[in-house]
Coordinates of all heavy atoms in Angstrom, one line a residue:
M87 N 44.4 60.8 45.7 CA 45.3 60.7 44.6 C 45.0 59.5 43.8 O 44.5 58.5 44.3 CB 46.8 60.7 45.1 CG 47.2 61.9 45.8 SD 48.9 61.8 46.5 CE 49.8 62.0 45.0
K88 N 45.3 59.6 42.5 CA 45.1 58.4 41.6 C 46.3 58.3 40.7 O 46.9 59.3 40.4 CB 43.8 58.6 40.7 CG 42.5 58.6 41.5 CD 41.4 58.7 40.5 CE 40.1 58.7 41.3 NZ 38.9 58.8 40.3
H89 N 46.5 57.1 40.3 CA 47.6 56.8 39.3 C 47.0 55.8 38.3 O 46.4 54.8 38.7 CB 48.8 56.2 39.9 CG 49.8 55.8 39.0 ND1 50.6 56.7 38.3 CD2 50.2 54.6 38.5 CE1 51.5 56.1 37.5 NE2 51.2 54.8 37.6
Q90 N 47.0 56.1 37.0 CA 46.5 55.2 36.0 C 47.7 54.4 35.4 O 48.7 55.0 35.0 CB 45.7 56.0 35.0 CG 45.0 55.1 34.0 CD 44.0 55.9 33.2 OE1 43.9 57.1 33.3 NE2 43.2 55.2 32.4
T91 N 47.5 53.1 35.2 CA 48.5 52.3 34.6 C 47.8 51.1 34.0 O 46.6 51.0 34.0 CB 49.6 51.8 35.7 OG1 50.6 51.2 35.0 CG2 49.0 50.9 36.7
Q92 N 48.6 50.2 33.4 CA 48.1 48.9 32.8 C 48.8 47.8 33.5 O 50.0 47.9 33.8 CB 48.4 48.9 31.3 CG 47.6 49.9 30.6 CD 47.8 49.8 29.1 OE1 48.5 49.0 28.6 NE2 47.1 50.7 28.3
M93 N 48.0 46.7 33.7 CA 48.6 45.5 34.3 C 48.2 44.3 33.4 O 47.2 44.3 32.7 CB 48.0 45.3 35.7 CG 48.4 46.3 36.6 SD 47.7 45.9 38.2 CE 48.2 47.3 39.2
T94 N 49.0 43.3 33.4 CA 48.8 42.1 32.7 C 48.5 40.9 33.6 O 49.3 40.7 34.5 CB 49.9 41.7 31.8 OG1 50.2 42.9 30.9 CG2 49.7 40.5 30.9
F95 N 47.4 40.2 33.5 CA 47.1 39.1 34.3 C 46.8 37.8 33.4 O 46.2 38.0 32.4 CB 45.8 39.4 35.1 CG 45.9 40.5 36.1 CD1 45.4 41.7 35.7 CD2 46.5 40.4 37.3 CE1 45.5 42.8 36.6 CE2 46.6 41.4 38.2 CZ 46.1 42.6 37.8
P96 N 47.2 36.7 33.9 CA 46.8 35.5 33.2 C 45.3 35.2 33.4 O 44.8 35.3 34.5 CB 47.7 34.4 33.8 CG 48.0 34.9 35.1 CD 48.1 36.4 35.0
V97 N 44.6 34.9 32.3 CA 43.2 34.5 32.4 C 43.0 33.2 31.7 O 43.8 32.8 30.8 CB 42.3 35.6 31.9 CG1 42.4 36.9 32.7 CG2 42.6 35.9 30.4
E98 N 41.9 32.6 32.0 CA 41.5 31.4 31.3 C 40.2 31.7 30.5 O 39.2 32.2 31.1 CB 41.1 30.3 32.4 CG 40.7 29.0 31.8 CD 40.4 28.0 32.9 OE1 41.3 27.6 33.6 OE2 39.2 27.5 33.0
L99 N 40.2 31.4 29.2 CA 39.1 31.6 28.3 C 38.4 30.3 28.1 O 39.0 29.3 27.7 CB 39.5 32.2 27.0 CG 40.3 33.6 27.1 CD1 40.8 34.0 25.7 CD2 39.4 34.7 27.7
T100 N 37.1 30.2 28.3 CA 36.3 29.1 28.1 C 35.5 29.4 26.8 O 34.9 30.5 26.8 CB 35.4 28.8 29.3 OG1 36.2 28.6 30.4 CG2 34.6 27.5 29.0
F101 N 35.4 28.5 25.9 CA 34.7 28.8 24.6 C 34.1 27.5 24.1 O 34.4 26.4 24.5 CB 35.7 29.4 23.6 CG 36.8 28.5 23.2 CD1 36.7 27.7 22.1 CD2 38.0 28.5 23.8 CE1 37.7 26.9 21.7 CE2 39.1 27.7 23.4 CZ 38.9 26.9 22.4
E102 N 33.1 27.7 23.1 CA 32.4 26.7 22.4 C 32.7 26.9 20.9 O 32.9 28.0 20.5 CB 30.9 26.8 22.6 CG 30.5 26.5 24.1 CD 29.0 26.7 24.2 OE1 28.3 27.2 23.3 OE2 28.5 26.4 25.3
I103 N 32.7 25.8 20.2 CA 32.8 25.8 18.7 C 31.4 25.6 18.3 O 30.8 24.5 18.5 CB 33.8 24.8 18.2 CG1 35.2 25.0 18.7 CG2 33.8 24.9 16.6 CD1 35.9 26.2 18.3
L104 N 30.8 26.6 17.6 CA 29.4 26.4 17.0 C 29.5 25.9 15.6 O 30.3 26.4 14.8 CB 28.7 27.8 17.0 CG 28.7 28.5 18.4 CD1 28.1 29.9 18.2 CD2 27.9 27.7 19.4
P105 N 28.8 24.8 15.3 CA 28.9 24.2 14.0 C 28.4 25.2 12.8 O 27.7 26.1 13.1 CB 28.0 23.0 14.1 CG 27.0 23.3 15.2 CD 27.7 24.2 16.1
A106 N 28.9 24.8 11.6 CA 28.4 25.6 10.5 C 26.9 25.4 10.3 O 26.3 24.4 10.7 CB 29.1 25.1 9.2
M107 N 26.3 26.5 9.8 CA 24.8 26.4 9.7 C 24.4 26.9 8.3 O 25.0 27.8 7.7 CB 24.2 27.4 10.7 CG 24.3 27.0 12.1 SD 23.6 28.1 13.3 CE 22.5 29.2 12.5
S108 N 23.3 26.3 7.8 CA 22.8 26.7 6.5 C 21.7 27.8 6.8 O 20.9 27.7 7.7 CB 22.1 25.6 5.8 OG 23.0 24.6 5.4
V109 N 21.8 28.9 6.0 CA 20.8 30.0 6.2 C 20.3 30.3 4.8 O 20.9 29.8 3.8 CB 21.5 31.2 6.8 CG1 21.8 31.0 8.3 CG2 22.7 31.7 6.1
A110 N 19.3 31.2 4.7 CA 18.7 31.5 3.4 C 19.7 32.1 2.4 O 19.7 31.8 1.2 CB 17.6 32.5 3.6
E111 N 20.7 32.8 2.9 CA 21.7 33.4 2.1 C 22.9 32.5 1.7 O 23.8 32.8 1.0 CB 22.3 34.7 2.7 CG 21.3 35.8 2.9 CD 20.5 35.6 4.2 OE1 21.0 34.9 5.2 OE2 19.4 36.1 4.2
G112 N 22.9 31.3 2.3 CA 24.0 30.4 2.0 C 24.4 29.6 3.3 O 23.6 29.2 4.0
E113 N 25.7 29.5 3.5 CA 26.3 28.7 4.6 C 27.1 29.7 5.5 O 27.9 30.4 5.0 CB 27.2 27.6 4.0 CG 27.8 26.8 5.0 CD 27.0 25.5 5.4 OE1 26.0 25.3 4.7 OE2 27.4 24.8 6.3
L114 N 26.8 29.6 6.8 CA 27.6 30.3 7.8 C 28.7 29.3 8.2 O 28.4 28.1 8.6 CB 26.8 30.7 9.0 CG 25.9 31.9 8.9 CD1 25.2 32.1 10.1 CD2 26.8 33.2 8.5
P115 N 30.0 29.7 8.3 CA 31.0 28.8 8.7 C 30.9 28.5 10.2 O 30.2 29.2 10.9 CB 32.3 29.5 8.4 CG 31.9 30.9 8.3 CD 30.5 31.0 7.9
A116 N 31.6 27.5 10.7 CA 31.7 27.2 12.1 C 32.3 28.5 12.8 O 33.1 29.2 12.2 CB 32.6 26.0 12.4
Q117 N 31.7 28.7 14.0 CA 32.2 29.9 14.7 C 32.6 29.6 16.1 O 32.2 28.6 16.7 CB 31.0 30.9 14.8 CG 30.6 31.4 13.4 CD 29.6 32.5 13.5 OE1 29.4 33.2 14.5 NE2 28.9 32.7 12.4
L118 N 33.4 30.4 16.7 CA 33.9 30.3 18.1 C 33.1 31.3 19.0 O 33.0 32.4 18.6 CB 35.4 30.5 18.1 CG 36.1 30.3 19.4 CD1 37.4 29.5 19.2 CD2 36.3 31.5 20.2
D119 N 32.7 30.9 20.1 CA 32.0 31.7 21.0 C 32.6 31.6 22.4 O 32.5 30.6 23.1 CB 30.5 31.4 21.1 CG 29.7 32.2 22.0 OD1 29.9 33.5 22.0 OD2 28.8 31.7 22.7
I120 N 33.2 32.7 22.9 CA 33.7 32.7 24.3 C 32.6 32.8 25.3 O 31.7 33.6 25.2 CB 34.7 33.9 24.5 CG1 35.9 33.7 23.7 CG2 35.0 34.1 26.0 CD1 36.9 34.8 23.7
T121 N 32.6 31.9 26.2 CA 31.5 31.8 27.2 C 31.9 32.4 28.6 O 31.1 32.9 29.3 CB 31.0 30.3 27.4 OG1 32.1 29.5 27.7 CG2 30.4 29.8 26.1
K122 N 33.2 32.3 28.9 CA 33.7 32.8 30.2 C 35.1 33.3 30.0 O 35.9 32.7 29.3 CB 33.7 31.8 31.3 CG 32.3 31.4 31.8 CD 32.4 30.5 33.0 CE 31.0 30.1 33.4 NZ 31.1 29.1 34.5
I123 N 35.4 34.3 30.8 CA 36.8 34.8 31.0 C 37.0 34.8 32.5 O 36.4 35.5 33.2 CB 37.0 36.2 30.4 CG1 36.7 36.2 28.9 CG2 38.5 36.6 30.6 CD1 36.7 37.6 28.3
L124 N 37.9 33.9 32.9 CA 38.1 33.7 34.3 C 39.5 34.2 34.8 O 40.5 33.9 34.2 CB 38.0 32.2 34.7 CG 36.6 31.5 34.3 CD1 36.7 30.0 34.5 CD2 35.5 32.1 35.2
L125 N 39.5 34.9 35.9 CA 40.7 35.4 36.5 C 40.8 34.7 37.9 O 39.8 34.7 38.7 CB 40.6 36.9 36.7 CG 41.7 37.6 37.5 CD1 43.0 37.5 36.8 CD2 41.3 39.1 37.8
T126 N 41.9 34.2 38.2 CA 42.2 33.5 39.5 C 42.8 34.6 40.4 O 43.8 35.2 40.1 CB 43.1 32.3 39.4 OG1 42.5 31.4 38.4 CG2 43.3 31.6 40.7
I127 N 42.1 34.8 41.6 CA 42.6 35.7 42.6 C 42.8 34.9 43.9 O 42.1 33.9 44.1 CB 41.7 36.9 42.8 CG1 40.3 36.5 43.2 CG2 41.5 37.7 41.5 CD1 39.4 37.6 43.7
T128 N 43.6 35.5 44.7 CA 43.9 34.9 46.0 C 43.4 35.9 47.1 O 43.8 37.0 47.1 CB 45.4 34.6 46.2 OG1 45.8 33.8 45.2 CG2 45.6 33.9 47.6
G129 N 42.4 35.4 47.9 CA 41.9 36.3 48.9 C 42.7 36.3 50.2 O 43.8 35.7 50.2
P130 N 42.3 37.0 51.2 CA 43.0 37.2 52.4 C 43.4 35.9 53.1 O 44.4 35.7 53.8 CB 42.1 38.0 53.3 CG 41.1 38.6 52.4 CD 41.0 37.8 51.2
S131 N 42.5 34.8 52.9 CA 42.7 33.5 53.5 C 43.8 32.8 52.8 O 44.3 31.7 53.3 CB 41.5 32.7 53.5 OG 41.1 32.4 52.2
G132 N 44.3 33.2 51.6 CA 45.3 32.5 50.9 C 44.7 31.5 49.9 O 45.4 30.9 49.2
K133 N 43.4 31.3 49.9 CA 42.7 30.4 49.1 C 42.4 31.0 47.7 O 41.7 32.0 47.7 CB 41.4 29.9 49.7 CG 40.7 28.8 48.9 CD 39.5 28.4 49.7 CE 38.7 27.4 48.8 NZ 37.5 27.0 49.4
P134 N 42.9 30.4 46.6 CA 42.6 31.0 45.3 C 41.2 30.7 44.9 O 40.6 29.6 45.3 CB 43.6 30.3 44.4 CG 44.0 29.0 45.1 CD 43.8 29.3 46.5
R135 N 40.6 31.6 44.1 CA 39.2 31.4 43.6 C 39.2 32.1 42.2 O 39.9 33.0 41.9 CB 38.1 31.9 44.5 CG 38.1 33.4 44.7 CD 37.1 33.8 45.7 NE 37.2 35.2 46.0 CZ 36.4 36.2 45.5 NH1 35.5 35.9 44.6 NH2 36.6 37.5 45.8
Q136 N 38.3 31.6 41.4 CA 38.1 32.1 40.1 C 36.9 33.1 40.0 O 35.9 32.8 40.6 CB 37.9 31.0 39.0 CG 39.2 30.2 38.8 CD 39.0 29.3 37.6 OE1 38.0 28.7 37.4 NE2 40.1 29.2 36.8
V137 N 37.2 34.2 39.3 CA 36.1 35.2 39.2 C 35.9 35.4 37.7 O 36.8 35.5 36.9 CB 36.6 36.6 39.8 CG1 35.6 37.7 39.6 CG2 36.9 36.4 41.2
D138 N 34.6 35.4 37.3 CA 34.2 35.5 35.9 C 34.2 37.0 35.6 O 33.4 37.8 36.2 CB 32.8 34.9 35.7 CG 32.4 35.0 34.2 OD1 33.1 35.6 33.4 OD2 31.4 34.4 33.9
I139 N 35.1 37.5 34.7 CA 35.2 38.9 34.4 C 34.8 39.2 32.9 O 35.1 40.2 32.4 CB 36.7 39.4 34.6 CG1 37.7 38.6 33.7 CG2 37.1 39.3 36.1 CD1 39.1 39.2 33.7
T140 N 34.0 38.2 32.4 CA 33.5 38.4 31.0 C 32.8 39.7 30.7 O 33.1 40.4 29.7 CB 32.6 37.2 30.6 OG1 33.2 36.0 31.0 CG2 32.3 37.2 29.2
K141 N 32.0 40.1 31.7 CA 31.2 41.4 31.5 C 32.1 42.6 31.5 O 31.6 43.7 31.2 CB 30.1 41.4 32.5 CG 29.1 40.3 32.5 CD 28.1 40.4 31.4 CE 27.1 39.3 31.6 NZ 26.5 38.9 30.4
S142 N 33.3 42.5 31.9 CA 34.2 43.6 32.0 C 34.7 44.0 30.6 O 35.4 45.1 30.4 CB 35.4 43.3 32.8 OG 35.0 43.0 34.1
F143 N 34.5 43.2 29.6 CA 35.0 43.4 28.2 C 33.9 43.8 27.3 O 32.8 43.3 27.4 CB 35.8 42.2 27.7 CG 37.0 41.8 28.5 CD1 36.9 40.9 29.6 CD2 38.2 42.4 28.3 CE1 38.0 40.6 30.4 CE2 39.3 42.1 29.1 CZ 39.2 41.2 30.1
S144 N 34.3 44.7 26.3 CA 33.3 45.0 25.3 C 33.2 43.9 24.3 O 34.1 43.0 24.2 CB 33.8 46.3 24.5 OG 35.0 46.0 23.8
E145 N 32.1 43.9 23.5 CA 32.0 42.8 22.5 C 33.1 42.9 21.5 O 33.6 41.8 21.0 CB 30.6 43.0 21.8 CG 30.3 41.9 20.8 CD 30.1 40.6 21.4 OE1 29.7 40.5 22.6 OE2 30.4 39.6 20.7
D146 N 33.6 44.1 21.2 CA 34.7 44.2 20.2 C 36.0 43.5 20.8 O 36.7 42.8 20.0 CB 35.1 45.6 20.0 CG 34.0 46.3 19.1 OD1 33.2 45.6 18.4 OD2 34.0 47.6 19.1
Q147 N 36.3 43.6 22.1 CA 37.4 43.0 22.7 C 37.3 41.5 22.7 O 38.2 40.7 22.4 CB 37.7 43.5 24.1 CG 38.9 43.0 24.7 CD 40.2 43.3 24.0 OE1 40.4 44.5 23.7 NE2 41.0 42.4 23.6
I148 N 36.1 41.0 23.0 CA 35.8 39.6 23.0 C 36.0 39.0 21.6 O 36.6 37.9 21.5 CB 34.4 39.3 23.6 CG1 34.4 39.6 25.1 CG2 34.0 37.8 23.4 CD1 33.1 39.4 25.8
M149 N 35.6 39.7 20.6 CA 35.8 39.3 19.2 C 37.2 39.2 18.9 O 37.7 38.3 18.2 CB 35.0 40.2 18.3 CG 33.5 40.0 18.3 SD 32.6 41.2 17.4 CE 33.1 40.9 15.7
L150 N 38.1 40.1 19.4 CA 39.5 40.0 19.2 C 40.1 38.8 19.9 O 41.0 38.1 19.3 CB 40.2 41.3 19.7 CG 39.9 42.6 18.9 CD1 40.5 43.8 19.6 CD2 40.5 42.5 17.5
F151 N 39.6 38.5 21.1 CA 40.1 37.2 21.7 C 39.7 36.0 20.9 O 40.5 35.1 20.8 CB 39.5 37.1 23.1 CG 39.9 38.1 24.1 CD1 39.1 38.6 25.1 CD2 41.2 38.6 24.2 CE1 39.5 39.5 26.1 CE2 41.7 39.5 25.1 CZ 40.8 40.0 26.0
E152 N 38.5 36.0 20.4 CA 38.0 34.9 19.6 C 38.9 34.7 18.3 O 39.3 33.6 18.0 CB 36.5 35.1 19.2 CG 35.6 34.9 20.4 CD 34.2 35.4 20.1 OE1 33.9 36.0 19.1 OE2 33.3 35.0 20.9
D153 N 39.2 35.8 17.7 CA 40.1 35.8 16.5 C 41.5 35.2 16.9 O 42.0 34.5 16.1 CB 40.2 37.2 15.9 CG 39.0 37.7 15.2 OD1 38.1 36.9 15.0 OD2 38.9 38.9 15.0
E154 N 42.0 35.6 18.1 CA 43.3 35.2 18.5 C 43.2 33.6 18.7 O 44.2 32.9 18.3 CB 43.6 35.9 19.8 CG 44.9 35.5 20.4 CD 45.2 36.2 21.7 OE1 44.7 37.4 21.9 OE2 45.8 35.6 22.6
I155 N 42.2 33.1 19.3 CA 42.0 31.7 19.5 C 42.0 31.0 18.2 O 42.7 30.0 18.0 CB 40.8 31.4 20.3 CG1 41.0 31.9 21.8 CG2 40.5 29.8 20.4 CD1 39.7 31.9 22.6
I156 N 41.2 31.5 17.2 CA 41.1 30.8 15.9 C 42.4 30.8 15.2 O 42.8 29.8 14.7 CB 40.0 31.6 15.1 CG1 38.6 31.3 15.6 CG2 40.1 31.1 13.6 CD1 37.5 32.2 15.1
E157 N 43.2 31.9 15.3 CA 44.5 32.0 14.6 C 45.4 31.0 15.3 O 46.2 30.3 14.6 CB 45.1 33.4 14.8 CG 44.4 34.4 13.8 CD 44.9 35.8 14.0 OE1 46.0 36.0 14.6 OE2 44.2 36.7 13.6
S158 N 45.4 30.8 16.6 CA 46.3 29.9 17.2 C 46.0 28.4 16.8 O 46.9 27.6 16.7 CB 46.3 30.0 18.7 OG 45.1 29.5 19.3
Y159 N 44.7 28.1 16.6 CA 44.4 26.7 16.1 C 44.7 26.5 14.7 O 45.1 25.4 14.3 CB 42.9 26.4 16.4 CG 42.6 26.0 17.8 CD1 42.2 26.9 18.8 CD2 42.8 24.7 18.1 CE1 42.0 26.5 20.0 CE2 42.5 24.3 19.5 CZ 42.1 25.2 20.4 OH 41.9 24.8 21.7
Q160 N 44.7 27.6 13.9 CA 45.0 27.4 12.4 C 46.5 27.2 12.3 O 46.9 26.6 11.3 CB 44.5 28.7 11.7 CG 43.0 28.7 11.5 CD 42.6 30.0 10.9 OE1 43.3 31.0 10.8 NE2 41.3 30.0 10.5
E161 N 47.3 27.8 13.2 CA 48.8 27.6 13.1 C 49.3 26.3 13.5 O 50.3 25.8 13.1 CB 49.5 28.7 14.0 CG 49.3 30.1 13.5 CD 49.8 31.2 14.4 OE1 50.4 30.8 15.5 OE2 49.7 32.4 14.1
S162 N 48.5 25.5 14.3 CA 48.9 24.2 14.8 C 48.5 23.1 13.9 O 47.9 23.1 12.9 CB 48.4 23.9 16.2 OG 47.3 24.5 16.6

């Protein structure tokens, strides 16, 4: 038997700010690049550990996370 549902977990996003760059067509603005998405899980021993789940997300979803981070910094 199977049951499909959705769950929400807290994750930690690690990112870099890439500086603006000059290109032949003009200037590219500074960009944000997510490098890791970490989920903390607790194993049978009770010891928590972090698991990198970045590869579990599509590039589109990662771009949405990047937009969310940028928006949160613009509001502050």
